[in-house]
Amino acid sequence: MKAQKSRNFIGSIIGFIIAFFILCPFFLVVINSAKTSADIVISPISLPKNWGQMFANFKGVINNDNFSYWSSFKSSLIITVVSLILLTLFSSMAAWILSRHHKEGWSNFIFMMFVAAMVIPFQVVMLPILTVFKNIGSFTGIQMLSSYKGVIFAYLGFGGSMSIFVLHGFIKGIPKELEEAAWIDGCSPEGTFFRIIMPLLRPVQMTVLILNGLWI
């Protein structure tokens, strides 16, 4: 019993130490938000002299003439919401088709291409994608640079591989007999997907939304 209590005590101490180091950056952000720039430079880890300075700093950020806080917040909200909706919808459709034809060569090839794309770092395609977007704008007249369309399109490309990979494995566990029963009742492929498959994908779609929402 004493040995068990000692192990529990040591484990608790280690847990508190780890938690302390993890929470330190958040603590520094809070205390420095209540300081002036000069105070942060002089002593970034000391407690603020006037906690009321925090509200003045927040007001300064929101009312900054050189930076529109609410406009940036609106842009982030639009890009995130639209990207997540389209990413979840298109990835679910693609994963369903690929999983139901997994025994065919073209399906395996396309799926492996998506898997391979997951390991490509963003820095490798950062400059080429800007050139491609610029050429698309010149050729079609559709502005892709400095626009919602371009950012959302890029997020669909970068997030699609991981989303399809996660959804593909989940859909393979859904009995195909459910779809066959819907087809016998006269349901179209589109109706089968939206009425049978989509409701069953809600748990894994929440995972996809969270994973993509964090980095978007």
Side-chain angles (χ1 to χ4, degrees):
M1 291 296 293
K2 291 183 178 180
Q4 181 66 29
K5 290 182 179 179
S6 299
R7 285 195 294 268
N8 292 338
F9 178 76
I10 294 174
S12 299
I13 295 298
I14 295 174
F16 280 119
I17 293 174
I18 295 174
F20 173 78
F21 282 107
I22 292 175
L23 294 176
C24 267
F26 299 98
F27 178 70
L28 290 176
V29 169
V30 172
I31 64 175
N32 285 326
S33 67
K35 298 179 184 178
T36 62
S37 299
D39 292 335
I40 295 174
V41 173
I42 294 172
S43 180
I45 61 174
S46 63
L47 293 175
K49 299 177 182 178
N50 179 20
W51 285 98
Q53 182 67 32
M54 179 186 296
F55 301 101
N57 291 339
F58 288 166
K59 185 177 180 181
V61 170
I62 294 175
N63 298 328
N64 192 339
D65 295 332
N66 299 321
F67 173 77
S68 178
Y69 175 82
W70 293 114
S71 176
S72 300
F73 181 80
K74 182 192 73 173
S75 297
S76 297
L77 185 64
I78 292 174
I79 291 171
T80 302
V81 172
V82 176
S83 298
L84 289 179
I85 293 175
L86 296 180
L87 193 57
T88 304
L89 176 62
F90 294 158
S91 298
S92 299
M93 296 170 68
W96 179 55
I97 294 297
L98 293 176
S99 64
R100 290 313 186 216
H101 297 82
H102 66 278
K103 294 182 179 180
E104 301 180 22
W106 63 267
S107 176
N108 291 327
F109 176 77
I110 294 175
F111 180 69
M112 292 309 300
M113 290 292 290
F114 280 118
V115 174
M118 293 173 60
V119 302
I120 300 176
F122 170 75
Q123 290 78 6
V124 174
V125 297
M126 180 172 58
L127 294 179
I129 200 173
L130 291 176
T131 304
V132 171
F133 278 8
K134 182 179 179 181
N135 293 335
I136 291 176
S138 302
F139 182 74
T140 64
I142 301 175
Q143 183 181 1
M144 298 295 286
L145 296 176
S146 301
S147 67
Y148 290 150
K149 298 185 293 294
V151 177
I152 292 172
F153 187 79
Y155 279 135
L156 292 179
F158 287 112
S161 298
M162 185 272 293
S163 302
I164 290 174
F165 177 77
V166 174
L167 289 162
H168 185 274
F170 186 88
I171 293 175
K172 288 175 68 175
I174 298 177
K176 195 173 181 180
E177 288 77 10
L178 295 174
E179 301 169 33
E180 294 173 349
W183 295 338
I184 293 174
D185 290 338
C187 194
S188 64
E190 296 81 7
T192 301
F193 175 75
F194 286 105
R195 295 179 183 178
I196 306 299
I197 301 300
M198 276 291 280
L200 297 176
L201 294 181
R202 288 174 184 172
V204 71
Q205 283 177 344
M206 290 303 301
T207 302
V208 170
L209 286 173
I210 293 172
L211 292 176
N212 287 296
L214 288 175
W215 67 272
I216 291 178

